[in-house]
Amino acid sequence: MAFLDRDYGTTTWNGDKVRVVESVHVYEDGTEGKPFYVIYADNKAITLKGFNQKYLYLHNEETGKTVFLHRIIYACCTGLNLGLNGLEVHHIDFDTHNNRIENLVAMSVPDHRSYHTNMKNAERTGKEEYLDKAEKVLSNAKLLKERRVEKWNNEEKEKILNELSEM
């Protein structure tokens, strides 16, 4: 058995730097277990909670504030502010403990509601038109995510190159 680790990087939450590392068991047959997460923060009051609840979240014992882990991971990978300005982060496979970046997309609140409504209508009625509408919303969200990640990666590369040229 081996571990596959992925460092999602760092973001800032309420003035504190937070880094997320994901670890996954990889078994001899190549199958992967469920991911688990380790949080690194300078502020020792920040802990990961929610293992027996619907969502994993970070909790700051000093301030009482919480934030969902999937929002932190999305912010780390896209460079978006954690407020996400009216965006919700959706779990593509509906497993709310699977916070791998491949499983996350951001959607506007109306798009997220539309997606779930269309999925429920498709399940209830069996009509393809609802599934098509839901897939269109999800497809658009995935495309926006790809653009955000590409932009973020380019900005990070540019920062590093600028720092190197100043040395």
Tab-separated table of all heavy atoms in Angstrom, residues 94-119:
chain	number	residue	atom	x	y	z
A	94	PHE	N	-21.506	14.305	-5.916
A	94	PHE	CA	-22.452	14.413	-4.804
A	94	PHE	C	-21.919	13.840	-3.493
A	94	PHE	O	-22.640	13.783	-2.509
A	94	PHE	CB	-23.808	13.774	-5.132
A	94	PHE	CG	-24.482	14.400	-6.323
A	94	PHE	CD1	-24.430	13.770	-7.557
A	94	PHE	CD2	-25.148	15.596	-6.218
A	94	PHE	CE1	-25.034	14.334	-8.661
A	94	PHE	CE2	-25.756	16.175	-7.312
A	94	PHE	CZ	-25.703	15.547	-8.539
A	95	ASP	N	-20.647	13.412	-3.447
A	95	ASP	CA	-20.022	12.922	-2.214
A	95	ASP	C	-19.386	14.130	-1.536
A	95	ASP	O	-18.336	14.609	-1.954
A	95	ASP	CB	-18.968	11.854	-2.532
A	95	ASP	CG	-18.248	11.347	-1.290
A	95	ASP	OD1	-18.475	11.877	-0.174
A	95	ASP	OD2	-17.421	10.419	-1.438
A	96	THR	N	-20.021	14.625	-0.487
A	96	THR	CA	-19.581	15.863	0.139
A	96	THR	C	-18.285	15.720	0.940
A	96	THR	O	-17.736	16.721	1.387
A	96	THR	CB	-20.684	16.436	1.054
A	96	THR	OG1	-21.014	15.447	2.045
A	96	THR	CG2	-21.911	16.810	0.247
A	97	HIS	N	-17.790	14.504	1.104
A	97	HIS	CA	-16.495	14.314	1.754
A	97	HIS	C	-15.385	14.130	0.718
A	97	HIS	O	-14.224	14.029	1.078
A	97	HIS	CB	-16.530	13.141	2.732
A	97	HIS	CG	-17.150	13.516	4.042
A	97	HIS	ND1	-16.541	13.313	5.240
A	97	HIS	CD2	-18.337	14.112	4.339
A	97	HIS	CE1	-17.310	13.755	6.215
A	97	HIS	NE2	-18.406	14.242	5.689
A	98	ASN	N	-15.744	14.078	-0.578
A	98	ASN	CA	-14.749	13.989	-1.643
A	98	ASN	C	-14.441	15.410	-2.107
A	98	ASN	O	-15.099	15.953	-2.976
A	98	ASN	CB	-15.257	13.143	-2.812
A	98	ASN	CG	-14.252	13.056	-3.947
A	98	ASN	OD1	-13.151	13.603	-3.870
A	98	ASN	ND2	-14.628	12.379	-5.005
A	99	ASN	N	-13.435	16.004	-1.489
A	99	ASN	CA	-13.079	17.389	-1.762
A	99	ASN	C	-11.896	17.524	-2.711
A	99	ASN	O	-11.230	18.556	-2.730
A	99	ASN	CB	-12.805	18.115	-0.445
A	99	ASN	CG	-14.055	18.224	0.384
A	99	ASN	OD1	-15.057	18.757	-0.070
A	99	ASN	ND2	-14.026	17.681	1.589
A	100	ARG	N	-11.633	16.485	-3.502
A	100	ARG	CA	-10.573	16.574	-4.504
A	100	ARG	C	-10.952	17.661	-5.505
A	100	ARG	O	-12.120	17.798	-5.870
A	100	ARG	CB	-10.405	15.245	-5.218
A	100	ARG	CG	-10.007	14.133	-4.282
A	100	ARG	CD	-9.962	12.837	-4.993
A	100	ARG	NE	-8.582	12.384	-4.923
A	100	ARG	CZ	-8.153	11.257	-5.401
A	100	ARG	NH1	-8.971	10.449	-6.031
A	100	ARG	NH2	-6.899	10.910	-5.272
A	101	ILE	N	-9.986	18.423	-5.965
A	101	ILE	CA	-10.276	19.546	-6.844
A	101	ILE	C	-10.972	19.087	-8.125
A	101	ILE	O	-11.808	19.807	-8.668
A	101	ILE	CB	-9.007	20.384	-7.145
A	101	ILE	CG1	-9.361	21.692	-7.863
A	101	ILE	CG2	-7.986	19.575	-7.936
A	101	ILE	CD1	-10.282	22.620	-7.110
A	102	GLU	N	-10.697	17.879	-8.584
A	102	GLU	CA	-11.364	17.354	-9.788
A	102	GLU	C	-12.869	17.194	-9.568
A	102	GLU	O	-13.629	17.140	-10.523
A	102	GLU	CB	-10.774	15.997	-10.198
A	102	GLU	CG	-9.327	16.014	-10.564
A	102	GLU	CD	-8.396	15.879	-9.370
A	102	GLU	OE1	-8.860	15.634	-8.232
A	102	GLU	OE2	-7.176	16.048	-9.575
A	103	ASN	N	-13.273	17.107	-8.314
A	103	ASN	CA	-14.675	16.887	-7.975
A	103	ASN	C	-15.411	18.185	-7.632
A	103	ASN	O	-16.572	18.152	-7.277
A	103	ASN	CB	-14.772	15.916	-6.788
A	103	ASN	CG	-16.184	15.464	-6.532
A	103	ASN	OD1	-16.914	15.117	-7.449
A	103	ASN	ND2	-16.585	15.495	-5.271
A	104	LEU	N	-14.735	19.324	-7.753
A	104	LEU	CA	-15.328	20.593	-7.350
A	104	LEU	C	-15.452	21.567	-8.513
A	104	LEU	O	-14.525	21.679	-9.325
A	104	LEU	CB	-14.471	21.246	-6.259
A	104	LEU	CG	-14.224	20.423	-4.995
A	104	LEU	CD1	-13.252	21.159	-4.080
A	104	LEU	CD2	-15.525	20.117	-4.286
A	105	VAL	N	-16.576	22.245	-8.581
A	105	VAL	CA	-16.759	23.363	-9.516
A	105	VAL	C	-17.530	24.455	-8.785
A	105	VAL	O	-18.337	24.165	-7.898
A	105	VAL	CB	-17.514	22.987	-10.814
A	105	VAL	CG1	-16.704	22.054	-11.674
A	105	VAL	CG2	-18.876	22.415	-10.527
A	106	ALA	N	-17.276	25.695	-9.164
A	106	ALA	CA	-18.022	26.817	-8.604
A	106	ALA	C	-19.134	27.196	-9.571
A	106	ALA	O	-18.947	27.165	-10.786
A	106	ALA	CB	-17.108	28.006	-8.359
A	107	MET	N	-20.289	27.511	-9.013
A	107	MET	CA	-21.445	27.933	-9.801
A	107	MET	C	-22.085	29.123	-9.102
A	107	MET	O	-22.008	29.241	-7.879
A	107	MET	CB	-22.504	26.829	-9.874
A	107	MET	CG	-22.108	25.561	-10.526
A	107	MET	SD	-23.524	24.419	-10.436
A	107	MET	CE	-22.824	22.979	-11.217
A	108	SER	N	-22.743	29.965	-9.890
A	108	SER	CA	-23.537	31.025	-9.265
A	108	SER	C	-24.658	30.341	-8.478
A	108	SER	O	-25.017	29.193	-8.754
A	108	SER	CB	-24.115	31.951	-10.328
A	108	SER	OG	-25.102	31.264	-11.082
A	109	VAL	N	-25.198	31.047	-7.521
A	109	VAL	CA	-26.289	30.481	-6.715
A	109	VAL	C	-27.464	30.062	-7.606
A	109	VAL	O	-27.955	28.927	-7.491
A	109	VAL	CB	-26.723	31.458	-5.596
A	109	VAL	CG1	-27.944	30.945	-4.859
A	109	VAL	CG2	-25.570	31.697	-4.636
A	110	PRO	N	-27.918	30.916	-8.558
A	110	PRO	CA	-29.033	30.484	-9.411
A	110	PRO	C	-28.689	29.254	-10.268
A	110	PRO	O	-29.533	28.365	-10.439
A	110	PRO	CB	-29.313	31.701	-10.309
A	110	PRO	CG	-28.742	32.857	-9.582
A	110	PRO	CD	-27.585	32.329	-8.795
A	111	ASP	N	-27.449	29.191	-10.795
A	111	ASP	CA	-27.053	28.029	-11.592
A	111	ASP	C	-27.018	26.767	-10.743
A	111	ASP	O	-27.428	25.690	-11.190
A	111	ASP	CB	-25.691	28.250	-12.255
A	111	ASP	CG	-25.767	29.113	-13.493
A	111	ASP	OD1	-26.889	29.402	-13.962
A	111	ASP	OD2	-24.692	29.498	-14.002
A	112	HIS	N	-26.534	26.889	-9.514
A	112	HIS	CA	-26.460	25.720	-8.630
A	112	HIS	C	-27.866	25.207	-8.306
A	112	HIS	O	-28.119	23.999	-8.344
A	112	HIS	CB	-25.696	26.086	-7.355
A	112	HIS	CG	-25.188	24.908	-6.600
A	112	HIS	ND1	-24.845	24.985	-5.276
A	112	HIS	CD2	-24.958	23.622	-6.964
A	112	HIS	CE1	-24.432	23.801	-4.853
A	112	HIS	NE2	-24.492	22.950	-5.858
A	113	ARG	N	-28.771	26.124	-8.023
A	113	ARG	CA	-30.160	25.727	-7.754
A	113	ARG	C	-30.782	25.085	-8.993
A	113	ARG	O	-31.473	24.073	-8.909
A	113	ARG	CB	-31.016	26.927	-7.323
A	113	ARG	CG	-30.564	27.619	-6.074
A	113	ARG	CD	-30.700	26.735	-4.829
A	113	ARG	NE	-30.114	27.370	-3.679
A	113	ARG	CZ	-28.862	27.206	-3.259
A	113	ARG	NH1	-28.041	26.421	-3.912
A	113	ARG	NH2	-28.406	27.791	-2.186
A	114	SER	N	-30.542	25.695	-10.154
A	114	SER	CA	-31.067	25.168	-11.420
A	114	SER	C	-30.546	23.758	-11.675
A	114	SER	O	-31.296	22.861	-12.070
A	114	SER	CB	-30.681	26.097	-12.562
A	114	SER	OG	-30.962	25.510	-13.804
A	115	TYR	N	-29.251	23.561	-11.435
A	115	TYR	CA	-28.644	22.242	-11.644
A	115	TYR	C	-29.362	21.185	-10.807
A	115	TYR	O	-29.796	20.151	-11.321
A	115	TYR	CB	-27.152	22.286	-11.307
A	115	TYR	CG	-26.511	20.934	-11.397
A	115	TYR	CD1	-26.139	20.409	-12.628
A	115	TYR	CD2	-26.308	20.156	-10.267
A	115	TYR	CE1	-25.577	19.145	-12.728
A	115	TYR	CE2	-25.749	18.898	-10.352
A	115	TYR	CZ	-25.389	18.396	-11.587
A	115	TYR	OH	-24.847	17.144	-11.684
A	116	HIS	N	-29.474	21.450	-9.501
A	116	HIS	CA	-30.090	20.455	-8.617
A	116	HIS	C	-31.579	20.258	-8.919
A	116	HIS	O	-32.076	19.132	-8.872
A	116	HIS	CB	-29.866	20.827	-7.150
A	116	HIS	CG	-28.487	20.501	-6.683
A	116	HIS	ND1	-28.083	19.222	-6.413
A	116	HIS	CD2	-27.403	21.281	-6.464
A	116	HIS	CE1	-26.809	19.218	-6.037
A	116	HIS	NE2	-26.373	20.469	-6.062
A	117	THR	N	-32.264	21.338	-9.245
A	117	THR	CA	-33.680	21.218	-9.602
A	117	THR	C	-33.850	20.350	-10.844
A	117	THR	O	-34.704	19.456	-10.885
A	117	THR	CB	-34.299	22.613	-9.850
A	117	THR	OG1	-34.201	23.365	-8.633
A	117	THR	CG2	-35.752	22.511	-10.274
A	118	ASN	N	-33.032	20.597	-11.868
A	118	ASN	CA	-33.116	19.800	-13.090
A	118	ASN	C	-32.736	18.340	-12.848
A	118	ASN	O	-33.350	17.435	-13.423
A	118	ASN	CB	-32.272	20.411	-14.204
A	118	ASN	CG	-32.963	21.595	-14.839
A	118	ASN	OD1	-34.091	21.489	-15.302
A	118	ASN	ND2	-32.302	22.737	-14.841
A	119	MET	N	-31.746	18.092	-12.006
A	119	MET	CA	-31.374	16.706	-11.684
A	119	MET	C	-32.529	15.995	-10.972
A	119	MET	O	-32.845	14.843	-11.292
A	119	MET	CB	-30.114	16.670	-10.813
A	119	MET	CG	-28.849	17.063	-11.547
A	119	MET	SD	-28.448	15.973	-12.931
A	119	MET	CE	-27.869	14.526	-12.069
